[in-house]
Amino acid sequence: MINNMLSENCINLNLKGTNKNQVIDELVELLNAAGKLNDKEEYKKEILKREAQSSTGLEEGIAIPHAKTSAVKIPSIAFGLSKTGIDYDSLDGEPSKLFFMIAAPANASDTHIEVLSKLTTTLLDDDVRESLLKATSPKEVIEILSANMEKEEKTDKKDTGMPDVLAVTACPTGIAHTYMAADALIKKAKTMGINIKVETNGSTGVKDELTDEEIKNAKGIIVAADKNVEMDRFAGKHVEIVPVKEGIKNPEKLIKNAVAQIAPIYSVSGEKTSSSRKERTGFYKHIMSGVSNMLPFVVGGGILIALSFMFGIHASNPSDPSFNPFAKLLNDIGGGNAFFLMVPVMAGFIGMSIADRPGFAPAMVGGLISLNNGGGFLGGLIGGFLGGYSVVLLKKIFSKLPSSLEGIKPVLLYPLFGIFITGALMYGVIIDPIAALNTGVTNFLETLGTGNLILLGAVLAGMMAVDMGGPVNKAAFTFGIATIAAGNYAPHAAVMAGGMVPPLGIAIATTIFKNKFTKDERDAGKTCYIMGLSFITEGAIPFAASDPVKVIPASIIGAAIAGGLSMFFGVLLPAPHGGIFVFPVVTNPVMYLISIVIGSLVTAFILGTWKKPVDQI
């Protein structure tokens, strides 16, 4: 099959380029002239994007620029030879002379990827490289590679029992470095007389997956990866974590360290490695994938909304006397677009974490359905998991299809059936119960309004912290707006106080109890000050999603106290919003501020008491 992917018209034995960019241009032009690309500029953009992550210049004069993108029409390889060599940021600092540019379509089949991976590992052979440097014709280049790749297949590794050393290799695109590192480790282990097994996390998924028994009996484990791999299974073992290039460059050192158990023992949150613990870890991993990718939309959009209020609460409304065009622009960008995408993006990346790229579209559609039908944050979570696991199910069902249909799975079958299944379940099962929950909560609040006002304020404010922008939060907010319309301004003041407390309490906690939060959490905590002061409760969502058992109850308690105090002090708020922007129109603003500060401090100190220091987790 190498003859189909590397044609003579994609081989240049006399590259003219004298630097990295010029060589890339020559190889891209080779592929484009041969009709292998859909979009030359887009393909080059993806090549440079991969180079920005880490140079594809290896040792021994080899460079393998590569990209997997829809800009590629036909899976192909371009080969170029530079007689003098050029500086390509190689591992050993030596000039690169042999260039293989790999072009893989976005829907490349497993077979194509396997051929590309075998090619990259073949290049580790000294004799192959010497022969290629001396090649005088494109035909000779193809003959050299074909003969040696066939030899590689005949000498593939055999199962020789329980391995002494385990390894995992992974690179961002999963095409070249993943397999080169694996092959370098396997070959070096063979010469050292060490039994090794290597799991590859490549473009087509995980191959040669490590078993629980192998992990249990291994002396040491090597993780040579430039992207996230499943780590919790290695708890309690000696694990050396290095970039994928180290697997190619220093396999002997890594194997010796593994055998000697030099690497530190790997630990995760908690110490259990039972199946139930793994399942729980997977659940949080998926949520955090969604939350981390959602956070830029929360921060950017939320702050733009807050800035629009500086011109007036209604300054973005063209029919209001305080209308300001710039305020409308800020609000449209931040609220109408960035904030609008928050829940669908979170759901999409949850689905992607579960089922890789095929899970993204169904999950994002599930999140959008939730957003448009009152499901909010909680509905988005459900949509994300529905989308991801529907594709997991589809992968099992479609695994029985002929291999010739492999290419249409990611571009047709997974999105078509995945989106339909997710959408049908969201509309048919999920949305109505959440809407009913909203109605029930609203009815409950209306009956409570005739009783104890302080209790009403505590309940309303506490609800703002339950799901932080979801249906419960929105039910309390809607009730507060309704009371304003009825001329009762006290309940909405409590609602606004409750919405400000979760992010402010978390921000204070990350400032006072620094040893209870990671550096990333402390940095995010600074943003929570702005979110809280701007009445953006969603700023607390990343913390609530990562540690809901502690963060949500602490937020609810602090918010409820703030809301109850607001009612007790008789604070009135006629504006249908919150944050520091409405303080000029608040009745009794000093006591309102005190209510919010007390509630935030309560949340902060509860978190500081409940959470363990990060070095104990």
Side-chain angles (χ1 to χ4, degrees):
M1 195 170 180
I2 185 66
N3 294 317
N4 296 329
M5 298 180 70
L6 178 61
S7 54
E8 292 188 23
N9 60 349
C10 287
I11 296 176
N12 183 347
L13 297 179
N14 189 24
L15 292 173
K16 303 296 185 184
T18 58
N19 59 49
K20 184 174 183 175
N21 286 334
Q22 290 175 358
V23 167
I24 287 175
D25 285 340
E26 285 186 79
L27 295 174
V28 170
E29 189 55 47
L30 266 181
L31 291 169
N32 189 57
K36 309 294 186 181
L37 305 178
N38 290 317
D39 187 330
K40 181 178 77 170
E41 295 304 321
E42 181 62 24
Y43 174 69
K44 180 183 175 182
K45 179 181 175 182
E46 290 299 317
I47 287 287
L48 295 176
K49 180 179 177 181
R50 174 62 185 88
E51 292 296 325
Q53 293 174 327
S54 62
S55 174
T56 56
L58 306 175
E59 293 181 300
E60 308 295 344
I62 302 172
I64 309 181
H66 55 275
K68 184 178 180 183
T69 168
S70 58
V72 176
K73 182 189 301 183
I74 303 169
S76 309
I77 302 166
F79 172 72
L81 173 62
S82 172
K83 301 293 186 181
T84 57
I86 63 117
D87 180 9
Y88 202 91
D89 301 323
S90 60
L91 283 173
D92 55 7
E94 295 298 318
S96 298
K97 296 182 178 181
L98 300 172
F99 299 90
F100 287 84
M101 178 170 280
I102 297 173
N107 62 342
S109 69
D110 288 4
T111 305
H112 289 129
I113 298 299
E114 290 294 339
V115 171
L116 296 174
S117 68
K118 282 187 170 60
L119 167 66
T120 57
T121 55
T122 298
L123 296 175
L124 295 173
D125 190 305
D126 294 342
D127 293 336
V128 173
R129 295 195 303 275
E130 286 299 321
S131 298
L132 290 172
L133 287 170
K134 296 175 183 178
T136 57
S137 69
K139 182 179 179 181
E140 187 179 352
V141 170
I142 295 174
E143 289 174 349
I144 292 169
L145 293 173
S146 298
N148 283 277
M149 287 177 68
E150 184 177 348
K151 183 174 68 175
E152 284 285 328
E153 290 178 0
K154 292 179 180 179
T155 58
D156 271 350
K157 57 186 182 298
K158 298 292 189 290
D159 184 7
T160 55
M162 196 64 66
D164 300 311
V165 175
L166 302 177
V168 180
T169 62
C171 67
T173 53
I175 295 177
H177 291 65
T178 298
Y179 301 101
M180 294 189 78
D183 201 63
L185 288 164
I186 290 168
K187 287 184 175 179
K188 182 55 66 175
K190 185 177 180 180
T191 63
M192 297 169 65
I194 302 295
N195 193 359
I196 191 172
K197 179 179 177 181
V198 182
E199 171 187 299
T200 55
N201 284 229
S203 177
T204 57
V206 175
K207 298 294 177 65
D208 297 321
E209 186 171 5
L210 307 179
T211 67
D212 289 343
E213 186 179 6
E214 289 167 341
I215 294 170
K216 179 181 177 182
N217 290 283
K219 293 181 179 178
I221 298 168
I222 302 163
V223 177
D226 290 336
K227 69 174 186 177
N228 291 334
V229 298
E230 182 57 51
M231 293 294 296
D232 289 0
R233 52 188 166 154
F234 302 140
K237 303 296 295 186
H238 293 274
V239 182
E240 184 160 8
I241 304 173
V242 296
V244 69
K245 284 187 176 182
E246 283 297 302
I248 303 170
K249 184 178 180 181
N250 295 310
E252 183 173 0
K253 176 185 176 183
L254 294 174
I255 293 169
K256 285 182 177 179
N257 289 350
V259 173
Q261 298 185 324
I262 292 175
I265 293 177
Y266 185 79
S267 63
V268 295
S269 297
E271 299 177 338
K272 304 297 182 185
T273 56
S274 64
S275 58
S276 62
R277 173 61 192 170
K278 286 181 182 177
E279 183 179 350
R280 185 169 183 262
T281 300
F283 175 78
Y284 281 113
K285 172 192 170 188
H286 302 323
I287 288 181
M288 287 311 300
S289 177
V291 169
S292 62
N293 285 284
M294 173 191 73
L295 188 59
F297 294 86
V298 177
V299 175
I303 293 176
L304 287 173
I305 293 171
L307 290 174
S308 74
F309 290 136
M310 294 179 65
F311 297 90
I313 294 298
H314 304 292
S316 61
N317 184 356
S319 61
D320 191 85
S322 66
F323 173 68
N324 182 290
F326 188 63
K328 184 178 187 304
L329 176 64
L330 291 171
N331 192 68
D332 287 348
I333 296 171
N337 293 278
F339 244 47
F340 179 81
L341 287 171
M342 182 181 69
V343 170
V345 165
M346 177 194 69
F349 279 96
I350 287 175
M352 187 171 176
S353 176
I354 294 169
D356 211 347
R357 289 185 182 91
F360 183 80
M364 191 166 187
V365 170
L368 186 61
I369 291 172
S370 172
L371 179 69
N372 288 332
N373 293 275
F377 171 66
L378 292 179
L381 282 177
I382 296 171
F385 280 95
L386 280 178
Y389 283 114
S390 68
V391 172
V392 170
L393 175 62
L394 291 172
K395 285 183 176 182
K396 292 181 179 179
I397 295 173
F398 294 145
S399 65
K400 305 182 188 304
L401 293 177
S403 58
S404 59
L405 298 177
E406 193 71 28
I408 70 169
K409 289 181 184 179
V411 296
L412 175 61
L413 299 182
Y414 294 149
L416 173 62
F417 290 98
I419 290 173
F420 172 74
I421 292 171
T422 304
L425 288 173
M426 288 295 293
Y427 278 119
V429 180
I430 304 302
I431 292 301
D432 286 346
I434 292 180
L437 174 64
N438 267 323
T439 303
V441 170
T442 302
N443 291 338
F444 168 74
L445 290 176
E446 288 175 349
T447 60
L448 187 60
T450 59
N452 191 311
L453 288 179
I454 294 177
L455 177 59
L456 173 61
V459 171
L460 285 171
M463 288 174 62
M464 294 295 290
V466 170
D467 54 0
M468 303 172 188
V472 178
N473 172 286
K474 289 297 187 287
F477 182 82
T478 302
F479 183 84
I481 296 295
T483 61
I484 290 180
N488 184 353
Y489 303 139
H492 196 60
V495 169
M496 298 299 100
M500 294 172 68
V501 164
L504 285 175
I506 289 169
I508 294 169
T510 60
T511 301
I512 298 176
F513 305 102
K514 293 183 178 180
N515 65 324
K516 304 293 181 76
F517 298 89
T518 66
K519 183 180 183 301
D520 288 342
E521 288 174 329
R522 293 196 299 272
D523 290 340
K526 297 173 185 176
T527 306
C528 280
Y529 279 112
I530 300 173
M531 297 289 190
L533 291 172
S534 304
F535 180 62
I536 301 174
T537 317
E538 288 87 347
I541 287 177
F543 294 87
S546 63
D547 192 2
V549 175
K550 297 183 179 68
V551 173
I552 292 178
S555 298
I556 292 173
I557 293 170
I561 290 173
L565 288 173
S566 174
M567 283 288 202
F568 177 76
F569 293 129
V571 177
L572 304 177
L573 174 58
H577 207 276
I580 57 175
F581 315 102
V582 301
F583 270 64
V585 297
V586 168
T587 301
N588 205 352
V590 174
M591 299 314 296
Y592 191 44
L593 177 62
I594 290 174
S595 302
I596 293 170
V597 169
I598 290 174
S600 301
L601 288 172
V602 168
T603 292
F605 280 98
I606 291 175
L607 283 175
T609 303
W610 283 356
K611 289 181 71 70
K612 296 179 180 178
V614 290
D615 59 355
Q616 294 181 19
I617 296 177

